[in-house]
Amino acid sequence: MLIYLEHIIMGIVQGLTEFLPISSTGHLVLFGKLFGLREAGLLFDTMLHFGTLLAVVIFYWQEVVSILANPFGRLARLLVVGTIPTAVIGLAFEDFFDAISRTGQTIGLEFLATGVIIWAVESMRQGDRKFADIGYKDALIIGTLQGVAILPAISRSGLTIAGSLLRGIARPDAARFSFLLSLPAILGASVLQAKKVIEHPIEDTFLIPMLVGTAFAACFGYLAIRWMVRVISTGSMKGFAVYVWILGALIVVLQLLGLW
Protein backbone atom coordinates (compact mmCIF):
# COMPACT_ATOMS: atom_id res chain seq x y z
CA MET A 1 0.00 0.00 0.00
CA LEU A 2 2.91 2.36 0.68
CA ILE A 3 4.00 2.23 -2.96
CA TYR A 4 0.50 3.25 -4.03
CA LEU A 5 0.52 6.15 -1.59
CA GLU A 6 3.89 7.37 -2.85
CA HIS A 7 2.80 7.27 -6.49
CA ILE A 8 -0.53 8.94 -5.70
CA ILE A 9 1.24 11.77 -3.85
CA MET A 10 3.71 12.22 -6.72
CA GLY A 11 0.80 12.30 -9.18
CA ILE A 12 -1.00 14.95 -7.13
CA VAL A 13 2.18 17.00 -6.83
CA GLN A 14 2.84 16.83 -10.57
CA GLY A 15 -0.76 17.64 -11.46
CA LEU A 16 -1.01 20.67 -9.19
CA THR A 17 2.45 22.15 -9.61
CA GLU A 18 2.64 21.80 -13.41
CA PHE A 19 0.02 24.52 -13.78
CA LEU A 20 0.31 26.51 -10.56
CA PRO A 21 3.22 28.99 -10.72
CA ILE A 22 5.31 27.09 -8.17
CA SER A 23 7.37 24.72 -10.39
CA SER A 24 6.52 21.06 -10.89
CA THR A 25 10.11 19.91 -11.41
CA GLY A 26 11.28 21.63 -8.25
CA HIS A 27 8.55 19.93 -6.23
CA LEU A 28 9.22 16.54 -7.83
CA VAL A 29 12.88 16.89 -6.81
CA LEU A 30 11.75 17.65 -3.25
CA PHE A 31 9.29 14.77 -3.05
CA GLY A 32 11.72 12.49 -4.88
CA LYS A 33 14.21 13.10 -2.08
CA LEU A 34 11.50 12.57 0.52
CA PHE A 35 10.48 9.17 -0.91
CA GLY A 36 13.90 8.16 -2.17
CA LEU A 37 12.64 8.16 -5.77
CA ARG A 38 15.37 9.51 -8.02
CA GLU A 39 13.60 12.20 -10.07
CA ALA A 40 10.44 10.10 -9.66
CA GLY A 41 12.02 7.44 -11.88
CA LEU A 42 12.41 8.10 -15.61
CA LEU A 43 9.46 5.94 -16.67
CA PHE A 44 7.15 7.30 -13.98
CA ASP A 45 8.25 10.86 -14.73
CA THR A 46 7.25 10.32 -18.37
CA MET A 47 3.86 8.97 -17.34
CA LEU A 48 3.29 11.89 -14.95
CA HIS A 49 3.91 14.34 -17.79
CA PHE A 50 1.51 12.38 -19.96
CA GLY A 51 -1.09 12.77 -17.22
CA THR A 52 -0.74 16.55 -17.19
CA LEU A 53 -0.83 16.56 -20.98
CA LEU A 54 -4.22 14.87 -20.79
CA ALA A 55 -5.39 17.54 -18.35
CA VAL A 56 -4.65 20.34 -20.85
CA VAL A 57 -6.21 18.41 -23.73
CA ILE A 58 -9.41 17.83 -21.76
CA PHE A 59 -9.70 21.40 -20.48
CA TYR A 60 -8.97 22.99 -23.86
CA TRP A 61 -10.50 20.25 -26.00
CA GLN A 62 -12.19 22.73 -28.35
CA GLU A 63 -8.89 24.46 -29.11
CA VAL A 64 -7.15 21.10 -29.52
CA VAL A 65 -9.81 19.92 -31.97
CA SER A 66 -9.46 23.20 -33.86
CA ILE A 67 -5.68 22.77 -34.09
CA LEU A 68 -6.00 19.20 -35.33
CA ALA A 69 -8.65 20.22 -37.86
CA ASN A 70 -6.59 23.19 -39.07
CA PRO A 71 -2.90 22.39 -38.43
CA PHE A 72 -1.74 25.39 -40.46
CA GLY A 73 -4.11 27.86 -38.81
CA ARG A 74 -3.15 30.90 -36.74
CA LEU A 75 -3.21 29.16 -33.35
CA ALA A 76 -1.15 26.22 -34.57
CA ARG A 77 1.43 28.58 -36.08
CA LEU A 78 1.66 30.59 -32.85
CA LEU A 79 2.28 27.44 -30.84
CA VAL A 80 4.97 26.32 -33.29
CA VAL A 81 6.72 29.70 -33.11
CA GLY A 82 6.51 29.67 -29.32
CA THR A 83 7.83 26.11 -29.11
CA ILE A 84 10.91 26.66 -31.30
CA PRO A 85 12.96 28.67 -28.73
CA THR A 86 11.86 26.26 -25.98
CA ALA A 87 13.13 23.30 -28.01
CA VAL A 88 16.39 25.03 -28.96
CA ILE A 89 17.18 25.96 -25.35
CA GLY A 90 16.15 22.55 -24.05
CA LEU A 91 18.24 20.59 -26.54
CA ALA A 92 21.25 22.91 -26.42
CA PHE A 93 21.49 22.81 -22.63
CA GLU A 94 20.00 19.37 -21.96
CA ASP A 95 23.03 18.02 -20.11
CA PHE A 96 23.32 21.20 -18.04
CA PHE A 97 19.67 21.12 -17.02
CA ASP A 98 19.83 17.39 -16.25
CA ALA A 99 22.86 17.88 -14.00
CA ILE A 100 21.17 20.70 -12.08
CA SER A 101 17.97 18.68 -11.66
CA ARG A 102 19.86 15.65 -10.35
CA THR A 103 21.74 17.56 -7.67
CA GLY A 104 18.91 19.88 -6.66
CA GLN A 105 21.51 22.29 -5.31
CA THR A 106 20.07 25.39 -7.00
CA ILE A 107 16.36 24.89 -6.45
CA GLY A 108 16.27 27.04 -3.32
CA LEU A 109 17.54 30.07 -5.21
CA GLU A 110 15.30 29.24 -8.17
CA PHE A 111 12.20 29.11 -5.96
CA LEU A 112 13.17 32.53 -4.61
CA ALA A 113 13.59 33.86 -8.16
CA THR A 114 10.19 32.48 -9.18
CA GLY A 115 8.62 34.38 -6.30
CA VAL A 116 10.29 37.62 -7.34
CA ILE A 117 9.03 37.22 -10.91
CA ILE A 118 5.45 36.52 -9.84
CA TRP A 119 5.36 39.39 -7.33
CA ALA A 120 6.89 41.86 -9.77
CA VAL A 121 4.42 41.04 -12.54
CA GLU A 122 1.45 41.22 -10.18
CA SER A 123 2.62 44.68 -9.11
CA MET A 124 2.63 46.02 -12.66
CA ARG A 125 -0.22 47.64 -14.54
CA GLN A 126 -2.10 45.00 -16.48
CA GLY A 127 -2.73 45.17 -20.23
CA ASP A 128 -5.90 44.59 -22.21
CA ARG A 129 -4.69 42.90 -25.39
CA LYS A 130 -6.93 39.98 -26.33
CA PHE A 131 -6.06 36.46 -27.48
CA ALA A 132 -6.67 37.49 -31.08
CA ASP A 133 -4.00 40.20 -30.70
CA ILE A 134 -1.21 37.74 -29.85
CA GLY A 135 1.40 37.80 -32.59
CA TYR A 136 4.50 35.88 -33.56
CA LYS A 137 6.79 38.23 -31.62
CA ASP A 138 4.73 37.61 -28.49
CA ALA A 139 4.89 33.83 -29.04
CA LEU A 140 8.66 33.97 -29.60
CA ILE A 141 9.30 35.94 -26.40
CA ILE A 142 6.96 33.82 -24.29
CA GLY A 143 8.41 30.63 -25.78
CA THR A 144 11.93 31.79 -24.90
CA LEU A 145 10.84 32.32 -21.29
CA GLN A 146 9.35 28.84 -21.34
CA GLY A 147 12.74 27.53 -22.39
CA VAL A 148 14.43 29.30 -19.46
CA ALA A 149 11.86 27.65 -17.17
CA ILE A 150 13.48 24.28 -17.87
CA LEU A 151 15.57 25.14 -14.80
CA PRO A 152 14.12 22.82 -12.14
CA ALA A 153 12.52 25.32 -9.74
CA ILE A 154 11.68 28.09 -12.20
CA SER A 155 7.95 27.77 -12.84
CA ARG A 156 7.02 27.22 -16.49
CA SER A 157 3.47 28.45 -16.02
CA GLY A 158 4.65 31.34 -13.85
CA LEU A 159 7.23 32.52 -16.35
CA THR A 160 5.03 32.16 -19.44
CA ILE A 161 2.10 33.90 -17.76
CA ALA A 162 4.47 36.62 -16.59
CA GLY A 163 5.79 36.99 -20.14
CA SER A 164 2.26 37.26 -21.51
CA LEU A 165 1.32 39.91 -18.96
CA LEU A 166 4.50 41.85 -19.70
CA ARG A 167 3.47 41.86 -23.36
CA GLY A 168 0.23 43.55 -22.34
CA ILE A 169 -1.98 40.51 -22.86
CA ALA A 170 -5.13 40.47 -20.71
CA ARG A 171 -4.97 38.09 -17.76
CA PRO A 172 -7.51 35.44 -18.89
CA ASP A 173 -5.91 35.32 -22.35
CA ALA A 174 -2.43 35.13 -20.80
CA ALA A 175 -3.49 32.01 -18.90
CA ARG A 176 -5.07 30.48 -21.98
CA PHE A 177 -1.99 30.98 -24.15
CA SER A 178 0.35 29.77 -21.41
CA PHE A 179 -1.50 26.50 -20.93
CA LEU A 180 -1.95 25.89 -24.65
CA LEU A 181 1.77 26.53 -25.17
CA SER A 182 2.45 23.82 -22.60
CA LEU A 183 0.93 21.20 -24.94
CA PRO A 184 3.86 20.89 -27.38
CA ALA A 185 6.36 21.45 -24.57
CA ILE A 186 4.99 18.63 -22.38
CA LEU A 187 4.48 16.39 -25.42
CA GLY A 188 8.04 16.99 -26.60
CA ALA A 189 9.49 16.30 -23.15
CA SER A 190 7.42 13.13 -22.87
CA VAL A 191 8.59 11.88 -26.27
CA LEU A 192 12.25 12.52 -25.38
CA GLN A 193 11.87 10.72 -22.06
CA ALA A 194 9.99 7.85 -23.69
CA LYS A 195 12.84 7.49 -26.18
CA LYS A 196 15.33 7.20 -23.32
CA VAL A 197 13.15 4.60 -21.62
CA ILE A 198 13.04 2.54 -24.83
CA GLU A 199 16.78 2.87 -25.39
CA HIS A 200 17.52 1.96 -21.77
CA PRO A 201 14.75 -0.35 -20.60
CA ILE A 202 13.97 -0.12 -16.92
CA GLU A 203 12.71 -3.16 -15.07
CA ASP A 204 9.74 -1.96 -13.06
CA THR A 205 7.13 -4.18 -11.45
CA PHE A 206 5.06 -1.20 -10.28
CA LEU A 207 3.04 -0.59 -13.46
CA ILE A 208 -0.35 -0.42 -11.72
CA PRO A 209 0.82 2.10 -9.06
CA MET A 210 2.34 4.22 -11.83
CA LEU A 211 -0.92 4.17 -13.79
CA VAL A 212 -2.77 5.23 -10.66
CA GLY A 213 -0.28 8.06 -10.12
CA THR A 214 -0.72 9.14 -13.74
CA ALA A 215 -4.49 9.24 -13.32
CA PHE A 216 -4.11 11.44 -10.24
CA ALA A 217 -1.75 13.73 -12.19
CA ALA A 218 -4.39 14.13 -14.90
CA CYS A 219 -7.26 14.77 -12.46
CA PHE A 220 -5.41 17.23 -10.25
CA GLY A 221 -3.85 18.88 -13.31
CA TYR A 222 -7.34 19.56 -14.63
CA LEU A 223 -8.43 21.00 -11.27
CA ALA A 224 -5.26 23.13 -11.12
CA ILE A 225 -5.93 24.60 -14.57
CA ARG A 226 -9.51 25.48 -13.64
CA TRP A 227 -8.40 27.12 -10.41
CA MET A 228 -5.46 28.94 -12.01
CA VAL A 229 -7.62 30.40 -14.78
CA ARG A 230 -9.97 31.76 -12.09
CA VAL A 231 -7.09 33.14 -9.98
CA ILE A 232 -5.45 34.89 -12.92
CA SER A 233 -8.75 36.31 -14.16
CA THR A 234 -10.13 37.64 -10.88
CA GLY A 235 -7.51 37.23 -8.15
CA SER A 236 -3.82 37.66 -7.38
CA MET A 237 -0.82 35.35 -7.70
CA LYS A 238 1.10 37.01 -4.86
CA GLY A 239 0.15 34.18 -2.50
CA PHE A 240 2.12 31.80 -4.74
CA ALA A 241 5.09 34.16 -4.56
CA VAL A 242 5.03 34.08 -0.75
CA TYR A 243 4.80 30.27 -0.80
CA VAL A 244 7.85 29.76 -3.03
CA TRP A 245 9.80 32.38 -1.05
CA ILE A 246 9.19 30.44 2.16
CA LEU A 247 10.04 27.14 0.46
CA GLY A 248 13.16 28.54 -1.20
CA ALA A 249 14.39 30.16 2.02
CA LEU A 250 13.88 26.89 3.93
CA ILE A 251 15.90 24.96 1.35
CA VAL A 252 18.72 27.53 1.41
CA VAL A 253 18.85 27.37 5.22
CA LEU A 254 18.96 23.57 5.12
CA GLN A 255 21.81 23.76 2.61
CA LEU A 256 23.76 26.18 4.79
CA LEU A 257 23.29 23.82 7.75
CA GLY A 258 24.50 20.89 5.64
CA LEU A 259 21.16 19.11 5.94
CA TRP A 260 20.27 19.14 2.25
Side-chain angles (χ1 to χ4, degrees):
M1 289 302 297
L2 180 60
I3 189 65
Y4 278 92
L5 179 61
E6 291 177 351
H7 282 72
I8 287 172
I9 292 176
M10 295 294 274
I12 293 173
V13 170
Q14 170 66 22
L16 290 177
T17 58
E18 179 67 42
F19 304 111
L20 301 183
I22 55 177
S23 174
S24 63
T25 304
H27 279 77
L28 286 177
V29 171
L30 286 176
F31 279 80
K33 285 180 175 291
L34 178 64
F35 293 129
L37 302 174
R38 189 175 182 82
E39 296 182 39
L42 184 58
L43 178 57
F44 187 39
D45 189 54
T46 302
M47 294 176 68
L48 288 178
H49 279 86
F50 180 72
T52 51
L53 179 69
L54 286 178
V56 182
V57 171
I58 293 170
F59 190 86
Y60 288 106
W61 67 270
Q62 291 178 314
E63 285 87 347
V64 172
V65 170
S66 176
I67 292 171
L68 294 176
N70 189 11
F72 299 103
R74 172 182 168 275
L75 179 54
R77 295 198 302 270
L78 285 174
L79 295 183
V80 169
V81 171
T83 301
I84 289 174
T86 301
V88 170
I89 293 172
L91 292 174
F93 298 97
E94 181 180 7
D95 293 339
F96 172 72
F97 289 132
D98 283 346
I100 289 180
S101 295
R102 281 196 298 271
T103 63
Q105 292 302 306
T106 62
I107 65 173
L109 295 176
E110 289 161 12
F111 275 128
L112 294 174
T114 293
V116 171
I117 294 168
I118 295 171
W119 191 278
V121 170
E122 278 288 1
S123 301
M124 295 177 57
R125 179 182 177 185
Q126 305 303 317
D128 57 1
R129 295 176 61 204
K130 302 301 181 183
F131 195 84
D133 299 323
I134 298 176
Y136 296 127
K137 183 177 180 180
D138 300 312
L140 192 63
I141 293 173
I142 297 167
T144 300
L145 292 174
Q146 180 171 251
V148 173
I150 297 176
L151 287 166
I154 297 293
S155 169
R156 189 211 65 81
S157 62
L159 210 55
T160 53
I161 291 171
S164 298
L165 296 178
L166 287 172
R167 294 294 298 166
I169 300 171
R171 294 171 69 92
D173 299 297
R176 181 183 174 194
F177 187 69
S178 169
F179 294 140
L180 286 174
L181 189 60
S182 73
L183 278 172
I186 297 175
L187 179 61
S190 298
V191 169
L192 288 176
Q193 288 177 322
K195 181 181 178 182
K196 292 179 181 178
V197 170
I198 293 173
E199 292 176 346
H200 305 282
I202 299 174
E203 291 186 12
D204 199 321
T205 59
F206 304 116
L207 179 59
I208 301 301
M210 286 195 294
L211 289 174
V212 171
T214 302
F216 271 82
C219 292
F220 278 82
Y222 179 84
L223 294 175
I225 294 173
R226 287 192 61 176
W227 184 38
M228 197 62 200
V229 168
R230 188 180 305 115
V231 169
I232 296 172
S233 300
T234 61
S236 171
M237 294 190 293
K238 287 186 176 180
F240 296 117
V242 173
Y243 168 75
V244 291
W245 278 338
I246 294 173
L247 186 58
L250 178 60
I251 293 172
V252 170
V253 169
L254 289 175
Q255 289 176 327
L256 291 175
L257 294 176
L259 301 175
W260 179 259

